[in-house]
Amino acid sequence: WSFRQIRFCLLALFILTTFIWLFYVSTSNSKTKYLSIYSPPIQAKHSQPIQHKIACLIMGDAYFDELAEDPGKHHNNVENLFLTLKTYERFLSPYCDLKLFLVNHSAADFEYQYMVYKDHFLHSDVTFLPPSNEQLYRKRRSNVYHILAYTSKYYADYEWYLKLHHVDVLVLADHFQKLVYDADGNARFDMSQPQLLGHVLEDECSDYVFGASVYAFNQAFLLKVGQIAVQHIVNDAQRVENVHNCRTYDVCRHHPHDDFAGFCLRDLGIQVVPTRDEAQREYFLPFTIWEHYVHMNEWKDMEQDRMTGWYWKGKSKQAVADNCCATYPVSFGDYGDMKELYLGYRRIYAVSEEQRNMQFLATVMEFDDSPPELPPNVTILSRINDMAKPQTGSD
């Protein structure tokens, strides 16, 4: 060959190689860029082997939500956040094989604070979710996409995932163990199929698991839904709005507290069914022990009371007051005061496992001595009745 032919062939090879490389980068970068937005796991030391059965996913940045409006709250928020983390470290550690704290990057100095205190958090990891400009339920849904994607990448080998949307919840992880495993450690659910457990509310568009509290899903659910979360993040197409066109049902407006509205679970063959015992009592409760066990003592339909009737749709008329909850309920929510919640945990776990039933829990929080200060005829249900109202405006 002449020098000119060799030079031409080398130039053609260079151009072809460059084209292939650019094509690869354009595709592979889009597939992997979602990983670069997460901090790698900060692996705290472990005192015993990990069994990889239950992972507890905890949104830990709730105390920073109002920071922009009132910077003076910064110190108290950091203090309360770490009281929260210490609470869950102490009372969830025996039952959660992993505690994953997920903090939004807006919590600026949390990373420094964590590095100072990380030796106190065994079986724990912390990651920082990308900042979100979304508000309210849209921000929560955006976080759910990232939680699913991150967990799919780093922690896809656990059998169950117990997710806490907020830190103001009472979570009894040992009761969750009783719910999903029998006394011999055998699974009570079909683990080959996606499972989503939580407090189910009926809705005209689609029944849903109440997202603003505690719910759980298994590995099969994560593998199926996590892949979709990754795809949506790669394409910058997270579906955080309310209106969706799913294949198996008409276009409709999903409820704002449906974390999985954008995933169209029925299209994936995933059924949303209540998590209740044989007596139709709930395992996952969205409000406080006092609210469920004492205050919510009468079943009402929408015609009787539009303010609270939405909550009772599809529920047993006998599942009121002291018949509200399963013998070993998993969670209660809407506490707010972290110090009160910490004291409640201490009282609960001062007794044996067999004693920690619903009748005992009803005495622990001392609701009769200090009930919530609410106006006459006003309940937590009526205060949040806007949850059941159709929203106006475009998404």
Side-chain angles (χ1 to χ4, degrees):
W1 284 15
S2 67
F3 177 75
R4 178 176 295 180
Q5 288 174 317
I6 294 174
R7 188 173 62 176
F8 176 79
C9 289
L10 289 175
L11 179 61
L13 181 62
F14 173 78
I15 293 174
L16 178 62
T17 303
T18 302
F19 175 78
I20 294 174
W21 180 79
L22 289 174
F23 177 78
Y24 172 79
V25 168
S26 66
T27 56
S28 64
N29 276 1
S30 66
K31 292 178 181 178
T32 59
K33 70 177 182 178
Y34 81 96
L35 294 179
S36 65
I37 62 179
Y38 304 126
S39 302
I42 303 175
Q43 298 285 2
K45 62 185 180 181
H46 302 291
S47 61
Q48 61 187 26
I50 300 300
Q51 299 180 27
H52 289 247
K53 282 201 169 184
I54 298 176
C56 293
L57 314 177
I58 305 165
M59 281 303 301
D61 66 332
Y63 288 113
F64 291 87
D65 287 347
E66 299 178 357
L67 209 53
E69 299 179 7
D70 187 357
K73 294 182 178 180
H74 180 74
H75 175 74
N76 288 336
N77 284 342
V78 172
E79 183 178 300
N80 281 331
L81 178 57
F82 274 92
L83 176 59
T84 301
L85 299 188
K86 286 191 289 186
T87 299
Y88 290 142
E89 174 60 36
R90 176 173 177 180
F91 299 109
L92 268 64
S93 286
Y95 313 104
C96 295
D97 299 299
L98 168 77
K99 295 181 302 302
L100 174 58
F101 296 103
L102 302 120
V103 183
N104 196 280
H105 260 301
S106 60
D109 79 342
F110 181 85
E111 186 167 3
Y112 168 77
Q113 295 284 347
Y114 175 76
M115 296 306 294
V116 172
Y117 291 101
K118 69 175 183 177
D119 287 342
H120 297 281
F121 303 114
L122 306 178
H123 312 294
S124 301
D125 180 23
V126 172
T127 193
F128 303 93
L129 301 180
S132 172
N133 295 324
E134 304 289 357
Q135 299 295 321
L136 300 176
Y137 71 90
R138 296 170 69 94
K139 178 180 179 181
R140 191 182 69 249
R141 284 183 184 163
S142 177
N143 284 339
V144 167
Y145 274 97
H146 290 295
I147 289 170
L148 293 170
Y150 180 88
T151 308
S152 297
K153 170 61 179 177
Y154 293 111
Y155 296 112
D157 52 351
Y158 287 80
E159 295 180 4
W160 284 99
Y161 301 85
L162 187 62
K163 180 186 173 291
L164 289 61
H165 155 66
H166 202 284
V167 294
D168 66 346
V169 293
L170 174 66
V171 180
L172 305 170
D174 51 325
H175 291 186
F176 180 69
Q177 282 186 335
K178 290 178 182 291
L179 174 63
V180 298
Y181 299 110
D182 63 21
D184 296 322
N186 300 314
R188 295 184 185 274
F189 293 84
D190 182 356
M191 297 299 285
S192 66
Q193 299 298 317
Q195 304 288 346
L196 177 62
L197 312 181
H199 189 95
V200 172
L201 292 170
E202 292 192 359
D203 187 67
E204 292 182 359
C205 178
S206 179
D207 295 352
Y208 64 97
V209 168
F210 185 69
S213 187
V214 178
Y215 54 81
F217 49 87
N218 69 345
Q219 185 184 49
F221 182 94
L222 176 67
L223 293 177
K224 180 169 287 192
V225 179
Q227 291 177 355
I228 297 174
V230 171
Q231 293 169 5
H232 286 189
I233 291 173
V234 166
N235 298 322
D236 195 23
Q238 293 97 313
R239 303 175 69 189
V240 298
E241 68 280 359
N242 281 330
V243 177
H244 298 289
N245 183 12
C246 300
R247 296 193 307 272
T248 54
Y249 42 105
D250 296 334
V251 177
C252 58
R253 185 179 296 274
H254 292 251
H255 199 281
H257 284 292
D258 182 357
D259 279 2
F260 300 101
F263 293 90
C264 295
L265 294 183
R266 272 192 288 176
D267 290 358
L268 302 176
I270 299 174
Q271 300 298 317
V272 176
V273 295
T275 309
R276 299 169 185 156
D277 65 9
E278 296 82 357
Q280 296 302 300
R281 299 175 301 184
E282 302 283 352
Y283 282 95
F284 296 82
L285 289 305
F287 311 124
T288 65
I289 293 175
W290 182 89
E291 189 69 23
H292 285 286
Y293 202 79
V294 176
H295 207 167
M296 296 166 62
N297 57 8
E298 185 178 0
W299 189 99
K300 295 181 179 181
D301 60 26
M302 292 293 288
E303 293 183 359
Q304 294 172 306
D305 187 353
R306 294 193 61 82
M307 299 288 283
T308 64
W310 59 269
Y311 174 84
W312 298 109
K313 289 174 62 177
K315 291 183 170 68
S316 168
K317 293 185 178 182
Q318 284 69 48
V320 298
D322 59 0
N323 201 39
C324 63
C325 318
T327 302
Y328 292 100
V330 174
S331 64
F332 295 89
D334 204 33
Y335 279 97
D337 188 336
M338 202 58 222
K339 293 181 180 179
E340 175 189 348
L341 191 56
Y342 178 76
L343 293 176
Y345 271 110
R346 288 185 60 181
R347 296 188 189 104
I348 290 169
Y349 285 97
V351 303
S352 67
E353 183 175 339
E354 291 73 21
Q355 290 179 280
R356 291 197 288 271
N357 56 28
M358 189 60 225
Q359 286 69 34
F360 170 74
L361 294 176
T363 70
V364 168
M365 306 309 284
E366 298 179 351
F367 48 76
D368 287 325
D369 296 330
S370 54
E373 294 182 3
L374 297 174
N377 301 321
V378 175
T379 69
I380 292 179
L381 284 175
S382 62
R383 284 195 295 163
I384 62 171
N385 75 89
D386 59 310
M387 292 165 44
K389 295 179 180 177
Q391 295 195 347
T392 58
S394 62
D395 288 305

